[in-house]
Amino acid sequence: MSRIGKRPVTVASGIDVSLDGTTLVAKKGNLEKRLETHGRVNISIDGSEVTFIRVGDDKQDAAFWGTYRSLFDNIIIGLDKGFSKSLEINGVGYRAAVEGKTLVLQLGYSHPINFDIPEGLEILVEKNVVTIKGTDKQAVGQAAAEIRDFRPPEPYKGKGVKYTDEVIIRKAGKAAGKK
């Protein structure tokens, strides 16, 4: 039995929630987020609480129940507070800069890497830390993963792009000139 699906989602003040057929619509100012449930769960809106109810007793129904509740909770948190991820760039000559709608990365290759900033995200660069902010949890995480993939951290010198809370387990390299 899902413990996540049982809990109601508390809607923060300033966010309007409505039901459009099988689509949940959350609005805050001019931002609007939609969650299409395809009729896999029943939804009841009571003031500032949204409750999800299982359609049947199948294992698949229980999975949808918890999943849609979590997705909608992430929409509410994103509209209320937003999400952010921080990446740290380590290495001699490695740097990042924002130029218009493009993040320009110098990561030890013969050419700079231009990363187009996705719509709805904001990227800030301060020294060697790149911070990605937005209202969509999936888009923030995806952008951070794509930036990290340009130069993942290596275990010998620790050079590369890593999450700020990521721990790189260092290796000892070759022992030079054993006699």
Side-chain angles (χ1 to χ4, degrees):
M1 194 75 169
S2 174
R3 287 173 293 208
I4 294 170
K6 286 180 187 176
R7 293 185 298 188
V9 177
T10 304
V11 179
S13 61
I15 299 175
D16 298 324
V17 177
S18 62
L19 193 58
D20 181 20
T22 59
T23 305
L24 264 169
V25 181
K27 279 185 174 183
K28 181 177 183 182
N30 60 351
L31 278 175
E32 178 182 281
K33 297 282 183 179
R34 299 169 92 59
L35 176 66
E36 175 59 57
T37 61
H38 302 287
R40 295 178 178 136
V41 289
N42 291 326
I43 302 156
S44 85
I45 301 170
D46 300 324
S48 67
E49 284 194 341
V50 179
T51 310
F52 292 83
I53 302 136
R54 286 172 64 168
V55 173
D57 291 328
D58 295 347
K59 191 173 184 179
Q60 192 75 28
D61 293 332
F64 285 132
W65 185 35
T67 300
Y68 284 123
R69 189 256 174 221
S70 291
L71 290 173
F72 187 68
D73 191 38
N74 287 339
I75 287 173
I76 296 300
I77 292 169
L79 288 174
D80 188 31
K81 299 175 192 159
F83 293 100
S84 71
K85 287 243 183 209
S86 295
L87 298 164
E88 189 178 313
I89 299 175
N90 295 318
V92 177
Y94 288 16
R95 61 185 166 269
V98 176
E99 296 176 3
K101 289 294 233 172
T102 305
L103 175 68
V104 180
L105 299 160
Q106 306 262 325
L107 298 175
Y109 296 114
S110 61
H111 59 282
I113 297 166
N114 296 324
F115 178 75
D116 293 328
I117 300 172
E119 194 67 37
L121 294 184
E122 177 186 354
I123 296 183
L124 306 168
V125 178
E126 192 175 306
K127 292 191 180 183
N128 66 335
V129 177
V130 178
T131 306
I132 304 158
K133 294 180 181 179
T135 58
D136 188 354
K137 186 176 187 178
Q138 192 275 332
V140 170
Q142 183 66 36
E146 287 174 10
I147 293 169
R148 184 183 182 274
D149 279 347
F150 290 132
R151 180 69 87 171
E154 54 97 19
Y156 297 101
K157 293 183 179 177
K159 290 169 37 170
V161 180
K162 70 178 191 81
Y163 297 108
T164 51
D165 58 351
E166 183 179 10
V167 176
I168 304 300
I169 298 171
R170 303 292 291 273
K171 290 184 178 178
K174 287 184 181 178
K178 272 192 173 177
K179 292 185 181 182

